[in-house]
Amino acid sequence: MGSLADNDDIFPTKRIERRRSEGVVIEPARTISVLRECEVLVVGGGPAGTAAAVAAARAGADVVLIERYNHLGGLSTGGLVIWIDRMTDWSGELVVRGFAEDLLGRLPPSAIAGPNWEALGSRDAALVDHWRQRSSAHHNVVTWAPTINPEHLKSASQQLVQESGVALVLHAWGARPLCSDDGAVTGVFLEGKEGRKAIQARVVVDCTGDGDLFFQAGARTDADIEERSIHHCMNTSWLFGSVDMPAWLDFRYTEHAAFAAFMAEGRRACPRGFERPVVSWRDDVALFMGPRLSGLSGVDVLDLTEAELLSREAMLAHLAFYRAHAPGFAQADLLLSGSQLGVRHSRRLVGMQRVTREDWTRQYPALDEIGVSPSLAPQWPNLSIPYGCLVPERVEGLLAAGRHVSCDPTTHSILREIPQCWLTGQAAGVAAAVAVQSGVQPRDVAVSRVRQILVRQGTYLSVDETKKCSGSECHG
């Protein structure tokens, strides 16, 4: 990938000029009422948090899930990341299973679009060509990477949480961790319409996506990025309705010279970044997942504001240009913009273990594997995810799941995706329940016990925990 200047997918953004500090104020000490006590508290109801809460409850824990918006699903719903990245390996086997499989299986057929199961793993040229245009064929292999209706995913997520017996608290911001004198996390302060409250818990699972809790609890974090990668960029996504996606796909993939000219003119008309539409779950709805803005921080409120403003400007500019010039878009109109800004990266945990680029070629699963991710390309084996990447290096009472797990910047490109967040969330939820039931800290749980429960919950593991591995079968 080239430099920022000539990369069509990344658009450098000048940060808002900062005002000088106008001094400080002292917040008086106050008494905070306890809203609830529980065994496992999950903060953040995105893909990882929803999975963690359901998994912990199914493992027998008393669970509370708090979420700042009015719905569950995070970026997969409110962020309009409705294209769910690959869940199958290059042979066509479904490896992101368990909670993910249960959740997507609840969607009605009209709310999910993807290949038939019989097509998964196929290298048939016609099938590959068809599904490549619909975001489900990669490296000449048909994969399970569906697009979904976000409203149905919100409802399915809520149903799963409620059926599992999780106590759900919406419209509540997990503001900061509640810590004991020795620094262990024992709950969370939350902010809501009534002001500040507290929830006490034996284990807290940070699924904020930005590591808000483990950062404030004193855990070490990483923030390094690969500047030429899109994986640190941010933007608000949007949907256009009343489109004819088959007409657009025919134009894009058959009229090569005309499409190239269209893109060149679009970049001139939309200098802050010009995006191509992505198919959705319906042929009359188009998804735009950009522009991908760089140079902004996902934990700075002024930068977040700037990203929202620029994204909305871009949405209107794209609508005007596509209406005027794009086949299939003459009747297009605004349908929906994301209620949640698409932040891809901010902080990452420094954990007991770290998933790195070197792990991509490892031929054997980690001894403490808690899930398996498809690899980025067929030449690499499936990626084994270790339990240690969910556990802070030194803070007790806390686990982390989702896009901020412990990894290097390159591997973050895989682990930040929606299926991988479901995967790490489910593992963190089970581990939190096991820690409570065993009376130990999360770092001290018997990972074999966690693995056994994960298998019962449908998780795919390289080696089933019930089949003891030895010798060359299992390596750390």
Side-chain angles (χ1 to χ4, degrees):
M1 191 176 291
S3 67
L4 287 178
D6 56 22
N7 189 315
D8 291 339
D9 293 322
I10 302 177
F11 306 99
T13 305
K14 184 178 180 181
R15 302 178 70 178
I16 298 175
E17 183 178 350
R18 296 290 181 259
R19 293 174 298 177
R20 292 180 301 171
S21 171
E22 297 181 6
V24 299
V25 296
I26 304 298
E27 182 178 8
R30 50 181 168 159
T31 300
I32 305 299
S33 63
V34 175
L35 179 67
R36 174 73 190 266
E37 295 181 359
C38 62
E39 292 179 327
V40 175
L41 172 60
V42 181
V43 183
T50 306
V54 170
R58 286 177 170 177
D62 172 35
V63 182
V64 174
L65 171 62
I66 64 174
E67 164 56 38
R68 59 175 168 160
Y69 293 108
N70 70 344
H71 62 270
L72 299 173
L75 286 178
S76 65
T77 55
L80 297 182
V81 184
I82 60 173
W83 169 57
I84 308 300
D85 207 349
R86 292 176 303 104
M87 300 171 67
T88 48
D89 64 17
W90 299 106
S91 72
E93 183 171 12
L94 189 67
V95 296
V96 180
R97 305 194 64 171
F99 173 85
E101 195 173 13
D102 191 351
L103 177 64
L104 293 183
R106 291 171 177 248
L107 300 181
S110 62
I112 184 167
N116 294 327
W117 292 114
E118 296 78 14
L120 299 179
S122 174
R123 296 177 181 268
D124 177 80
L127 279 175
V128 167
D129 185 60
H130 176 84
W131 287 111
R132 181 185 290 116
Q133 297 177 23
R134 292 158 180 80
S135 306
S136 285
H138 308 274
H139 294 282
N140 296 317
V141 178
V142 179
T143 67
W144 181 238
T147 52
I148 52 90
N149 181 324
E151 291 302 319
H152 278 287
L153 195 64
K154 290 177 184 177
S155 296
S157 300
Q158 180 178 311
Q159 290 165 3
L160 265 172
V161 164
Q162 291 179 301
E163 288 174 11
S164 300
V166 174
L168 179 60
V169 182
L170 299 174
H171 298 286
W173 183 291
R176 62 181 303 111
L178 173 64
C179 298
S180 62
D181 291 341
D182 61 2
V185 175
T186 58
V188 167
F189 292 107
L190 60 88
E191 295 286 353
K193 285 293 186 179
E194 294 180 289
R196 181 166 289 196
K197 302 283 185 180
I199 297 180
Q200 295 178 307
R202 293 174 63 183
V203 176
V204 173
V205 185
D206 185 343
C207 295
T208 61
D210 298 305
D212 295 339
L213 299 179
F214 65 68
F215 171 74
Q216 294 183 78
R220 285 207 302 140
T221 63
D222 283 327
D224 53 323
I225 61 171
E226 292 183 343
E227 292 188 354
R228 295 179 296 172
S229 165
I230 69 168
H231 299 292
H232 66 280
C233 299
M234 66 175 74
N235 59 272
T236 297
S237 298
W238 66 80
L239 300 174
F240 289 165
S242 301
V243 305
D244 182 349
M245 282 302 289
W248 163 260
L249 292 174
D250 183 67
F251 167 69
R252 176 178 176 181
Y253 289 99
T254 65
E255 300 184 36
H256 303 295
F259 176 70
F262 170 86
M263 291 299 297
E265 183 60 30
R267 292 184 184 105
R268 286 190 288 270
C270 303
R272 290 193 183 276
F274 187 60
E275 284 290 311
R276 296 176 289 268
V278 179
V279 297
S280 75
W281 74 101
R282 288 170 42 160
D283 278 344
D284 61 343
V285 176
L287 168 65
F288 287 80
M289 301 184 72
R292 298 171 177 90
L293 306 170
S294 71
L296 300 173
S297 169
V299 293
D300 183 301
V301 292
L302 295 183
D303 280 8
L304 295 173
T305 301
E306 180 75 351
E308 295 279 20
L309 297 177
L310 293 176
S311 294
R312 185 158 292 276
E313 289 176 12
M315 180 179 68
L316 296 175
H318 278 66
L319 179 63
F321 186 81
Y322 270 79
R323 274 178 172 174
H325 301 286
F329 281 79
Q331 304 301 317
D333 205 353
L334 300 180
L335 182 61
L336 182 67
S337 61
S339 60
Q340 185 171 345
L341 180 65
V343 177
R344 292 171 174 83
H345 176 270
S346 53
R347 307 181 184 103
R348 304 190 313 279
L349 178 72
V350 174
M352 291 176 60
Q353 290 173 262
R354 188 170 182 252
V355 190
T356 68
R357 176 65 179 79
E358 288 70 30
D359 294 320
W360 295 15
T361 58
R362 185 170 59 182
Q363 297 297 318
Y364 301 102
L367 282 170
D368 62 343
E369 178 185 272
I370 45 76
V372 172
S373 167
S375 65
L376 278 179
Q379 66 265 31
W380 296 310
N382 291 332
L383 182 62
S384 178
I385 310 302
Y387 175 64
C389 74
L390 312 179
V391 184
E393 182 184 49
R394 58 190 180 203
V395 174
E396 305 292 2
L398 188 71
L399 286 162
R403 71 169 185 256
H404 54 215
V405 298
S406 183
C407 62
D408 65 13
T410 306
T411 307
H412 178 261
S413 67
I414 308 172
L415 297 186
R416 72 174 181 86
E417 298 290 354
I418 302 298
Q420 286 72 17
C421 290
W422 286 329
L423 182 160
T424 57
Q426 183 170 10
V430 168
V434 171
V436 168
Q437 294 157 3
S438 304
V440 300
Q441 289 294 333
R443 73 180 64 253
D444 298 320
V445 299
V447 180
S448 60
R449 176 64 176 154
V450 174
R451 287 166 50 86
Q452 289 169 356
I453 297 173
L454 285 171
V455 169
R456 289 207 301 268
Q457 291 190 1
T459 296
Y460 175 96
L461 296 178
S462 302
V463 179
D464 191 327
E465 184 61 34
T466 62
K467 302 172 183 176
K468 297 299 182 181
C469 61
S470 61
S472 62
E473 293 180 288
C474 195
H475 294 258

